[in-house]
Amino acid sequence: MIQSTRFSSLLFLLVLPLLSFAQSNEDDQVLFQLDSEPYGIKAFNYYFLKNAEEPSADSAKIKVNEYLDLYVNFRLKVKEAIAQGQDQTPEFKEEFEGYKKQLAEPYLMQTKVNEQMVAEAYQRLTQEVSASHILIKSDEQANPEDTLKAYNKALDIKNKILAGADFETLASQVSDDPSAKQNGGSLGYFSALQMVYPFENAVYQNQIGDIVGPVKTRFGYHIIKINDKRKARGQVLVAHIMIRAKPDSLSMATAKSKAASIYDNLKKGASWDEQCKLYSDDVRTKPAGGKLQWFGTGQLVPTFEDAAFALKETGDISEPVQTRFGYHIIKLIDQKGIASFEEMQSELETKISRDSRAKDKKSVAITKLKESQYFEINPIVFNQLANYFDSTLLTAQWNNEQSQTNGSKVLFTTNNTDYTLQLFFDYVEEKQKKRKLTALDTYVNQLYNQFVEKSIFDEELELIEAHNYDYQMVLDEYRSGILLFNLMETEVWNKAMVDSIGLQEFYDKNKKKNYKLAEHVVVRRFVSKDSSVLQSVSTQLDKTNSELDSLFNSQEPLTLQTFEEKIEQGKNKWLDDHWAIGSSVQSGKNYFTLWHVVSIQPDGYKPLTEIKGLVISDYQHELEKQWLKALSKKYPMKLNKSVLKSYIEGFED
């Protein structure tokens, strides 16, 4: 219910302008030239301000010049890709056309319906709904008989509930949602943009206690019970200490006891960061004191969310909370309500463009574009359309045998174009797919609607490409990004991966500078509040850390913490002062630490086999540096200093 391409891996590079065309406007001043090809200040300004905050008068010169270096380097790479003809390969053209259509949609969809959907989504975000559902699966491509069967089954369930049957019991018995057996169909609280659009509509358009449905979504038919509605809780920022354990296991009891002891320590004044660093099993967050990202309702497990939102004052700490991951102690850092419409508008527009409601928006957009393009269908030709097709279309083997006599007939017109049967036949031959469960006339109608949509959008797209500057910039960003990815893959990334001889030579040349390994110790570290515990541990070092953990923590879970580490000289003052094989005990404010140095390893160089990933990355940077140097010679840069100076001075006004 709740809601990559290779190009996505390149997005980190898009913090600099991905511009492939140069001087596109007669009044655009030339900022620089690469081998006589001009690049204007207008595009540079667009991307500079897009990727960074407007600089102050004091910082403008530094920031603009730093960005210019990145920009020029990028332009050099893209220029080389074009010089190699990479923009003419079939692979590039196919990939770029796919992105082009995706990028066009937000511009093609700029209609009133978009504004209405954004306003609707924001209004719904101010309220949270609790609902339960019973799902009867039905495939979107199912034949009418099976669809009707699923609908009638859902309707029968609804009637039983209205007659007095228990919703939760029925959900656990008949719902096709696997989780219903455990939760009786409950979905908890959620808000807008967290469910598919038809489901969202049903819960927001009905009242508490209503039994709604059958509601059709891409998953099937739903019978929905509206349990509650409340004001949105906003978002919360918390930290947590997690003791990991699996549900219904013996370890859960141990985790509960350990969490209770940590909570008791915190209530007695122990440092949160100290307890988190010592005991939390969330290795990703413990270095930062257990801090999580901002979240709202429906983003984490409900029990964790409820405990977090129950905290009222900054610094408040929850009692241990059980989830399916184990036990958590939660500390409130900050909280905030729903942002203003103006602050969320751009984000909502992006989310809606990817949401299932975009289909409705697209339908309205097509209707409006038809009006603006004076779309007119030829009813006589349209009514005869099915006569040109036979059962071979359903097996994707249809071919156009009628084109010589009928291809010139006009199927529909716009203000710019006559769309003939021949154009439609060509489209069908290319796009036809096997359709075992679809009636012939239904499939012909689907292909016709797809052809109309494509034709209408293609016409509008030509106008956008010619006149919409923002779209030109975004489109070129992706075009250049694909070219850059392909070229970097060939010239830098893959070369460093496969050139084992070059990699070895690079390592040998740079190991004294970059890959030195200082003298270091292999240590076992033990932490406890009780020095006598560490005294006992020191007599049993023949046991493994795991064995010691089980031995000392069987009665009191926080008695002993164990670690195994490698630490370089100069990284820990205590070890520096006790740099010898053997044991030493360090006294802290609240804890004692037993350090047992197992071995001392001499200085030298980190072996290539152990740091190959790091060396490959460094080698890639070196290859790129050398390559850019060669490109700078191949395409000399001539900077228009007066234009650059005027641009920088503009930030000082």
Side-chain angles (χ1 to χ4, degrees), residues 284-324:
R284 183 179 59 85
T285 65
K286 65 188 294 183
K291 185 178 179 180
L292 301 173
Q293 299 293 320
W294 285 95
F295 64 88
T297 295
Q299 293 181 274
L300 300 179
V301 292
T303 51
F304 189 97
E305 288 181 355
D306 290 344
F309 279 104
L311 299 172
K312 299 303 180 184
E313 301 293 334
T314 300
D316 282 357
I317 295 172
S318 75
E319 294 185 2
V321 178
Q322 184 180 355
T323 72
R324 65 176 183 269

Side-chain angles (χ1 to χ4, degrees), residues 84 86 485-496:
Q84 293 183 14
Q86 291 195 17
F485 186 99
N486 293 338
L487 197 62
M488 289 287 287
E489 197 170 45
T490 302
E491 298 291 338
V492 176
W493 299 330
N494 285 351
K495 186 179 290 187

Side-chain angles (χ1 to χ4, degrees), residues 381-544:
V381 176
F382 175 77
N383 290 333
Q384 297 173 346
L385 202 57
N387 297 334
Y388 297 107
F389 300 92
D390 56 32
S391 59
T392 59
L393 182 64
L394 301 178
T395 60
Q397 295 176 324
W398 181 84
N399 59 73
N400 177 23
E401 297 175 352
Q402 307 283 343
S403 61
Q404 291 183 354
T405 56
N406 298 292
S408 61
K409 291 183 178 180
V410 176
L411 180 57
F412 60 86
T413 63
T414 66
N415 55 1
N416 293 325
T417 309
D418 291 338
Y419 290 89
T420 63
L421 279 175
Q422 184 60 58
L423 291 172
F424 178 59
F425 291 155
D426 293 342
Y427 177 82
V428 171
E429 280 196 284
E430 179 185 356
K431 300 297 183 181
Q432 61 183 325
K433 290 182 173 63
K434 292 181 181 180
R435 288 288 187 272
K436 293 182 179 180
L437 301 177
T438 306
L440 179 62
D441 57 346
T442 300
Y443 189 36
V444 172
N445 195 52
Q446 289 174 355
L447 289 167
Y448 167 76
N449 289 330
Q450 292 168 12
F451 177 64
V452 170
E453 178 183 309
K454 178 182 182 301
S455 303
I456 293 293
F457 276 8
D458 284 352
E459 275 199 35
E460 194 67 18
L461 191 56
E462 288 183 10
L463 295 174
I464 292 173
E465 285 191 54
H467 303 294
N468 191 307
Y469 185 70
D470 285 352
Y471 178 69
Q472 292 169 7
M473 295 291 104
V474 174
L475 186 64
D476 197 78
E477 181 175 326
Y478 275 74
R479 176 178 180 266
S480 299
I482 299 170
L483 289 172
L484 176 61
F485 186 99
N486 293 338
L487 197 62
M488 289 287 287
E489 197 170 45
T490 302
E491 298 291 338
V492 176
W493 299 330
N494 285 351
K495 186 179 290 187
M497 294 288 289
V498 302
D499 183 11
S500 57
I501 296 176
L503 183 68
Q504 183 67 53
E505 291 176 349
F506 176 80
Y507 168 77
D508 291 339
K509 182 180 178 180
N510 292 277
K511 65 181 182 181
K512 292 182 179 180
K513 179 180 179 182
N514 298 327
Y515 309 123
K516 290 188 69 175
L517 179 63
E519 184 176 304
H520 62 284
V521 291
V522 176
V523 298
R524 298 170 69 187
R525 178 164 62 95
F526 305 93
V527 181
S528 179
K529 291 182 177 181
D530 189 344
S531 61
S532 65
V533 170
L534 297 184
Q535 178 62 39
S536 180
V537 169
S538 69
T539 66
Q540 303 181 65
L541 291 174
D542 56 319
K543 294 183 172 65
T544 67

Side-chain angles (χ1 to χ4, degrees), residues 113-182:
V113 67
N114 185 54
E115 298 173 4
Q116 293 166 358
M117 286 185 170
V118 171
E120 176 191 72
Y122 180 78
Q123 185 60 39
R124 289 177 175 180
L125 284 171
T126 64
Q127 188 178 54
E128 296 170 357
V129 182
S130 171
S132 300
H133 82 134
I134 296 172
L135 169 66
I136 304 302
K137 283 186 177 179
S138 177
D139 192 280
E140 285 189 293
Q141 303 300 325
N143 59 43
E145 181 181 345
D146 289 339
T147 300
L148 181 60
K149 184 178 178 181
Y151 174 84
N152 285 333
K153 182 178 180 181
L155 187 60
D156 181 58
I157 292 169
K158 179 182 180 181
N159 289 333
K160 289 180 179 178
I161 295 168
L162 293 176
D166 182 69
F167 189 101
E168 286 70 24
T169 301
L170 273 178
S172 64
Q173 293 173 347
V174 303
S175 180
D176 290 329
D177 181 345
S179 68
K181 288 180 172 57
Q182 286 76 42

